[in-house]
Amino acid sequence: MSEITSNNDFFKSKVLGHPSGLFVLFFTEMWERFSFYGMRVLLILFLTAAITGENPGWGWNAENAGSLYGTYAMLLYITPIFGGIIADRYIGYRWAVVIGSIIMTLGHAAMFLDTPFMLYLGLGLLVIGTGFFKPNMTSILSEMYKSFPEKKDGAYTIFYMGVNAGAFFGMMLCGYLAANLGWHWGFGLAGIFMLLGTIQFWMAKPLFGDVGEVPTKAKRAEASAKAAISNNAEDKPNPYTPVDFALIGITTIIGLLYAFNDPLSKIGGINLFDFKVGKLDGSIFMILVALILFLYLVISRLVRYTTIVRDRMIAVIVFAFFTIFFWMSFEQGASSLVIFARDNVDRSLAGTSLTVFNTINTLLTIVPLLIITWVLILLARQTWKKALGSNVVLAITFLGVWGIALWMLYNEFTKSASEIDPSWFSILNSFFIIAFASTISKIWDSKFNPPAATKYGLGLIIMAIGFGLLAYGSYGVAAGVKVSMIWLVLAYLFHTLGELFLSPVGLSYVSKLVPARMIAFMFGMWYLAIAIGNKLAAVAGGQIENITNQYSLSTFFLIFTIVPIVAGLLVIALNPVLKKLMHGVR
């Protein structure tokens, strides 16, 4: 048993009331999110940038760029299913995190070269690396707090702040370097901090004891015995049959082939489904086949469970279904909204407006950096002797961030006129999460805490209001005329509030409604729903140019206003049914 989880002095070496190891995870996740979001905000802009000019890109249209990004985003939520299984059974959580980090670092290094082959290779490496990294960071955190469940909510809140801090600075600094020095500098900066984050995590090994180590046969046997004991009349085993495995294999292969075929057919002219069945295109026909087989698999498994377990799993599937509509709209932030910010938003500033923006931008940059640096100092005081190397690497990373941030601010303050980089608006989501997360969580802890279906519906509707504001702001705007940036700022505000209503609720209810031995399977279903939502988001976002040319920019945003509102009203209407299916779980 780990020295951390077995002793009563678990919190003896603590930072802000939590063990030092939590903040090592905080910074590791921060640098990974820095690299991920730093690259993410650049990809669509790079692919669609003109092939001529001071900072040339590849000159793709939005549809082709969306098809590539959509497949990348989809795979990011599928590979963690396999990465979690490998870590659980063979290599342990810590090694999985290190392996994933190294692979992602190589991916960013490949993208730094920004040639076609290296970019595709880099995206592939990022997908594989994320598969190892993403599920196992939270697994380490969960194992650390196994004997202290009352502290887990606070730990996850702190961890989530690391996620958003990394996203915030990654999009801000990588975006700025890409705009001012060249695309490859933005891609390269993401890789540098991913590498340094990996090194500081590995050097902090003494703080974790045997948490996250390679699982031994004895531990696997102990886990199996506990699972067997936990089985009761309402939680009887439901082993997979050969037919189940065959259906899983077939639907997975078809889904992956579709994901790859979308960019291959649009960009490379290679159609893996180059046939028709009646009037149906080959790709549509194969997706319908996969959907029918998948529904049969899910239904056939559900009928084998006892009534309460079956009903609760149906409730999770309903929530997962509506999750698709949320992410299909919300993830426009990675595709159509960055194109909108670049091409349709008035980002020019001069005089007083420039001074006001620079002041706000300085506060947004310096205040969070000061807070996180203070946490870094607190961590160093507790761990300097135990993990000297880790602290030194962390110090180097923060000196680097401070240096780039101060250079950015100085550079902007010395300009008499400026244009806000389109990637800057993407940081607003992380900023609003940090600003409003605690307030929303307090509402859930009060007497005003609504049912799960109501939270879900409100999340969809509030997010849709953001797109409604964009539709209104761009209504009647002629070609070449740009809209005020205030509409985009307000849109990100409502998108974030919608996310805070919906996103944490979904994962929480999966853990509450599903028996322990089935959580891995249902989390896989949940991430599959998010993967589908991300793919649909990129495909739909890629139509911004086509819909704008044929109809209007306002029409494009109305799609993402109407669909989530209808979905939100529908899930709220289903509240009585879902409440019954949940059998008392709140």
Side-chain angles (χ1 to χ4, degrees), residues 26 33 58 68 94 140 238 279 294 323 328 335 353 368 371 396 402 434 451 512 558 585:
F26 172 98
R33 292 291 87 183
W58 282 10
L68 177 63
R94 274 219 305 267
I140 293 173
N238 182 10
K279 294 183 178 180
F294 185 72
T323 293
M328 181 187 77
S335 54
S353 61
I371 294 171
I396 292 170
W402 272 104
I434 294 169
K512 289 178 181 179
L558 271 177
V585 172

Side-chain angles (χ1 to χ4, degrees), residues 255 269 413:
F413 266 108

Side-chain angles (χ1 to χ4, degrees), residues 190-229:
I192 289 169
F193 283 107
M194 184 73 254
L195 176 62
L196 292 172
T198 307
I199 295 171
Q200 72 88 25
F201 172 76
W202 184 250
M203 287 185 166
K205 186 177 179 180
L207 300 177
F208 291 92
D210 63 2
V211 170
E213 287 285 8
V214 180
T216 62
K217 289 183 179 180
K219 283 189 176 181
R220 286 198 292 266
E222 181 184 351
S224 300
K226 285 182 178 179
I229 293 170

Side-chain angles (χ1 to χ4, degrees), residues 90-108:
Y90 304 110
I91 62 176
Y93 304 137
R94 274 219 305 267
W95 267 112
V97 166
V98 171
I99 291 170
S101 298
I102 292 171
I103 294 173
M104 284 189 285
T105 299
L106 294 173
H108 286 296

Side-chain angles (χ1 to χ4, degrees), residues 232-236 302-311:
N232 53 50
E234 293 297 338
D235 187 18
K236 64 181 182 180
L302 285 175
V303 297
R304 290 178 241 161
Y305 290 109
T306 54
T307 303
I308 292 178
V309 172
R310 180 175 66 245
D311 287 353

Side-chain angles (χ1 to χ4, degrees), residues 422-465:
S423 64
W424 182 89
F425 295 95
S426 298
I427 73 171
L428 294 173
N429 175 240
S430 296
F431 170 71
F432 288 138
I433 283 178
I434 294 169
F436 293 107
S438 61
T439 302
I440 299 297
S441 66
K442 286 177 182 176
I443 296 175
W444 301 159
D445 291 334
S446 72
K447 62 181 180 180
F448 300 107
N449 185 18
T454 304
K455 291 176 186 174
Y456 243 71
L458 289 174
L460 282 156
I461 292 168
I462 291 169
M463 187 259 302
I465 291 172

Side-chain angles (χ1 to χ4, degrees), residues 23-74:
F23 290 89
V24 173
L25 298 182
F26 172 98
F27 286 115
T28 306
E29 183 71 13
M30 177 180 166
W31 298 127
E32 190 276 332
R33 292 291 87 183
F34 182 104
S35 67
F36 170 75
Y37 280 99
M39 186 284 295
R40 171 184 178 268
V41 77
L42 298 180
L43 185 59
I44 292 290
L45 290 173
F46 168 68
L47 293 174
T48 58
I51 59 176
T52 57
E54 293 181 2
N55 196 17
W58 282 10
W60 286 11
N61 61 39
E63 184 176 3
N64 287 358
S67 68
L68 177 63
Y69 175 77
T71 293
Y72 164 70
M74 180 180 183

